[in-house]
Amino acid sequence: MSMTRAELQDAARGAFGGDELAVDRWDRVVEMGWLTMTVPEAQGGLGLGREAAGVIHSEMGRTVVPDPAIAQALVIEALSAADAVPDRDDLLARAMGGEVMTASLSLGDALDCVPDADRASHVLSVTAERIALLPLAAATITPRATWDTTRRLFDVVPGTGGITLAEGPAAATLAERLQQTLLLALAADALGGAAAILERTIAYLEMRQQFGRPLALFQALKHRVADMKTWLSAAEALFWSRTTDPAATLAEIGALKAHACTVYCAIAEDAVQLHGGIGLTMEYYCHLFLKRAMLDAVLGSDADYWEERAGRRALRATG
């Protein structure tokens, strides 16, 4: 990408700023042009590709941003790919301009786990046979209770009407592309969150003292943190490798998402323990990351599904 990963990361971190977590930053996301990140320049976007999108979703994961940015990215990608649809350019411009249009964060045909459906104008319906943008004005929208309250999820039963973006073989191809986008975004969110809670844990161990010495000087805790850093570094390397590989398959990206979320859960759970008694306080920031980690792990299908799929693919490849 024309802007380096580090430059974009610095810009995103500066835009979010501070240590405040779980704050709605939708206006800032729109203002910075991040919704246009992967859209070709000919369609009014920045044309920066998946690596840039990975940086943005990772930075949003660092501060546990509650905005529907992942769902909006799916809608924008679907609209961008729908060349022959009347009013496509107008809808795409509205979506890139911040009008909330949402999509399910699960992989099934049902419109469940739809972020911010109560304030969205449209929802994206994705099946292997048809991809459509449906109005939500006449839809039935039911809130879904979740342990992680940083994301507001809904079940949606749409009304009639809507705009078909792709059908038949074109729909199947676009559906797989959208699944890859969803999985990469969830993996980025997970790795950003894992990095943030690990940094906060290290800072806590350096500050907190026991027997007149910082906890960070105790060998047992040093080794535990070193293990967490090793898990994270390996997962980050895999993430950037897959993100920049145009030949990466859906099964490989799914396995990446499963691994990233497993690492996030493990680090968040260890962080609670390393914070001692204060880590067990439900209102403390450790639990913001832990709950987001557990939700990321099940959205886009869980580790059992993706590891089995990747394993079967590997067996077929080896005969």
Side-chain angles (χ1 to χ4, degrees):
M1 62 184 176
S2 56
M3 183 183 291
T4 68
R5 188 189 306 165
E7 288 172 338
L8 184 55
Q9 189 176 59
D10 289 344
R13 205 161 293 182
F16 283 169
D19 295 328
E20 201 170 8
L21 300 175
V23 175
D24 188 332
R25 293 184 168 93
W26 187 248
D27 290 343
R28 183 60 54 87
V29 169
V30 175
E31 177 188 334
M32 296 293 289
W34 292 336
L35 296 178
T36 70
M37 195 68 67
T38 60
V39 178
E41 292 181 73
Q43 295 177 350
L46 297 175
L48 292 178
R50 284 181 167 175
E51 186 179 7
V55 172
I56 297 305
H57 289 298
S58 175
E59 291 305 310
M60 288 193 276
R62 284 183 63 88
T63 52
V64 205
V65 169
D67 303 325
I70 295 178
Q72 189 91 358
L74 297 176
V75 175
I76 289 172
E77 183 152 347
L79 284 169
S80 176
D83 290 328
V85 175
D87 301 327
R88 189 282 304 271
D89 290 346
D90 175 60
L91 286 166
L92 181 58
R94 286 160 55 189
M96 291 193 297
E99 178 179 323
V100 177
M101 301 182 190
T102 189
S104 172
L105 300 187
S106 68
L107 289 186
D109 291 351
L111 291 173
D112 54 6
C113 301
V114 180
D116 290 40
D118 61 337
R119 67 175 178 132
S121 63
H122 295 76
V123 63
L124 185 70
S125 170
V126 179
T127 69
E129 296 78 29
R130 179 177 182 252
I131 295 176
L133 194 63
L134 310 175
L136 283 172
T140 301
I141 299 172
T142 307
R144 176 180 281 262
T146 59
W147 195 36
D148 173 19
T149 57
T150 61
R151 284 200 183 108
R152 300 184 312 112
L153 300 179
F154 298 83
D155 294 336
V156 174
V157 179
T160 57
I163 302 167
T164 298
L165 303 181
E167 287 183 295
T173 301
L174 180 55
E176 180 166 324
R177 180 172 149 188
L178 293 173
Q179 289 172 356
Q180 291 187 4
T181 299
L182 169 62
L183 294 167
L184 286 171
L186 290 170
D189 187 90
L191 294 176
I197 187 59
L198 178 55
E199 290 169 12
R200 286 169 178 267
T201 301
I202 292 171
Y204 176 78
L205 295 176
E206 290 173 341
M207 176 274 294
R208 178 71 173 170
Q209 297 211 356
Q210 194 171 44
F211 308 119
R213 305 171 64 196
L215 289 175
L217 292 179
F218 290 86
Q219 283 291 335
L221 301 185
K222 284 183 179 179
H223 291 168
R224 200 162 169 180
V225 170
D227 285 343
M228 296 159 72
K229 182 64 177 176
T230 302
W231 305 336
L232 179 60
S233 296
E236 287 175 335
L238 180 62
F239 175 79
W240 293 118
S241 171
R242 289 280 186 267
T243 301
T244 54
D245 179 5
T249 66
L250 179 61
E252 290 171 337
I253 293 176
L256 159 68
K257 177 265 178 187
H259 181 64
C261 291
T262 299
V263 167
Y264 191 9
C265 287
I267 290 177
E269 288 169 354
D270 269 10
V272 171
Q273 299 299 321
L274 289 169
H275 278 77
I278 196 171
L280 299 175
T281 304
M282 293 288 283
E283 291 77 14
Y284 202 50
Y285 62 73
C286 290
H287 280 263
L288 282 176
F289 290 99
L290 179 62
K291 292 167 185 172
R292 174 63 72 91
M294 291 185 168
L295 182 57
D296 279 351
V298 296
L299 292 175
S301 294
D302 62 14
D304 288 346
Y305 174 85
W306 285 113
E307 288 170 358
E308 179 183 352
R309 186 162 171 171
R312 290 185 182 280
R313 184 177 181 279
L315 285 173
R316 284 196 300 272
T318 56

